[in-house]
Each structure stands twice: as structure tokens, then as C-alpha cells.
Amino acid sequence: MIPGLSPNSDVRYSSLETGEQIEYRSAKKVLDQEDFLKLLITQFSTQDPLNPVTDTAFISQMAEFTALENAKETQSEISLLRQQSANQEAISMIGKEVELLTGDDGIVLGRVSKVLIDSDGPKLVVDGYPYALDKVVAVKNTLTISEESLKQGG
């Protein structure tokens, strides 16, 4: 390790003695398909020819890897569905009266004028200020003047 550098830094330099390119990369926390294939190639190239890995061991490893990939894809899809659901929930509150918790344990009452969608999730705009969807404690469906006059018979 190079003194003074974080172990999470990605650094490339050339050695003065040899001129060889040396690269330090931050450690991966999760193995991916490329890593699995490298391990598999290494395993096959270093195995004892008189005692090779059995087909069942290979198939078992492939099945585990496939299950891992499917779990990762499922997790990604569920995350996307959650985000879309939160966006839809926020959009459905446009025009409604909401009660929101503020950072200092106060409550704000107002009508949702629009929804801002960003990477942190949807934000409800009430009285010109954005609030996270999880700050909503109550929602009240309010009628417009034209809807109210129709209900009363015109």
C-alpha cells in the first residue's frame, strides 16, 4: 500500500525501478459473473488431471451462481416497483389537503400543489416547500367549488 492513500483509492503509477504499471483498486464487496468465471477457469486450469472436479460439483456451482444472479435481479425489480409505487402514491395526493410532520415535531397543514420526483423519492410541494412522502400523517380529500355545487344540485 502506498503511504498516505486510503485503501479505497483507485491509483495507477509506474514503478521507477521496473517501469511496470502498477494499479491499486478498491476491494469489491460482491463477486459478479466475471469474478465467477475467473475462479472457474482458475479451478479448471489448476485441478489435478488424475482427480478432476466432478460434473455434479460444476453443475452445483453454476446453479448457485444462477440463483444468486436471479436474486440480484429480483431485488432490483422490487426496488424499482417500490419507487414507482411511492411516485404513484405521491401523485395521487395532488390537490388534496395533507398534514405533514416537520423537522421540529411541528405539523404543517396544506394542499399539495405538485410532486417533485428525484433520486431520494417523491417530494410533495405544500405551500411552496417540498416534503418527503414519509412525513405525511393525514390526507383529506377536498372538493373544488364546482364539484361542491354539483353535489348540492347545481
Side-chain angles (χ1 to χ4, degrees):
M1 185 81 231
I2 300 173
L5 285 179
S6 163
N8 297 328
S9 299
D10 289 345
V11 176
R12 287 186 184 176
Y13 74 96
S14 296
S15 170
L16 292 176
E17 296 93 28
T18 64
E20 178 183 347
Q21 274 282 60
I22 299 173
E23 181 176 357
Y24 290 100
R25 281 191 260 162
S26 55
K28 286 185 180 180
K29 294 183 181 179
V30 179
L31 295 176
D32 59 8
Q33 185 174 12
E34 184 178 324
D35 296 323
F36 176 77
L37 293 175
K38 284 179 184 177
L39 286 170
L40 189 63
I41 290 169
T42 303
Q43 181 181 7
F44 282 140
S45 64
T46 59
Q47 71 180 335
D48 181 4
L50 300 175
N51 187 16
V53 176
T54 63
D55 288 346
T56 55
F58 175 72
I59 291 170
S60 172
Q61 290 172 349
M62 288 298 286
E64 287 177 25
F65 183 73
T66 301
L68 176 65
E69 286 294 313
N70 287 341
K72 283 173 45 179
E73 187 175 327
T74 300
Q75 182 181 12
S76 174
E77 292 293 323
I78 288 173
S79 178
L80 181 62
L81 285 172
R82 281 176 146 161
Q83 184 179 10
Q84 290 173 342
S85 176
N87 291 346
Q88 199 61 31
E89 182 180 2
I91 290 168
S92 72
M93 292 185 192
I94 293 175
K96 296 183 180 176
E97 289 281 329
V98 293
E99 287 182 32
L100 302 151
L101 291 176
T102 62
D104 55 355
D105 293 332
I107 292 183
V108 171
L109 178 64
R111 185 182 308 273
V112 178
S113 60
K114 67 179 176 179
V115 173
L116 303 174
I117 297 177
D118 63 14
S119 60
D120 295 334
K123 304 276 189 284
L124 305 174
V125 177
V126 177
D127 296 330
Y129 295 100
Y131 296 92
L133 187 60
D134 63 350
K135 300 295 182 194
V136 175
V137 293
V139 179
K140 180 181 175 187
N141 195 10
T142 57
L143 298 175
T144 63
I145 295 172
S146 60
E147 289 173 329
E148 199 168 308
S149 63
L150 287 174
K151 262 187 129 175
Q152 294 175 357

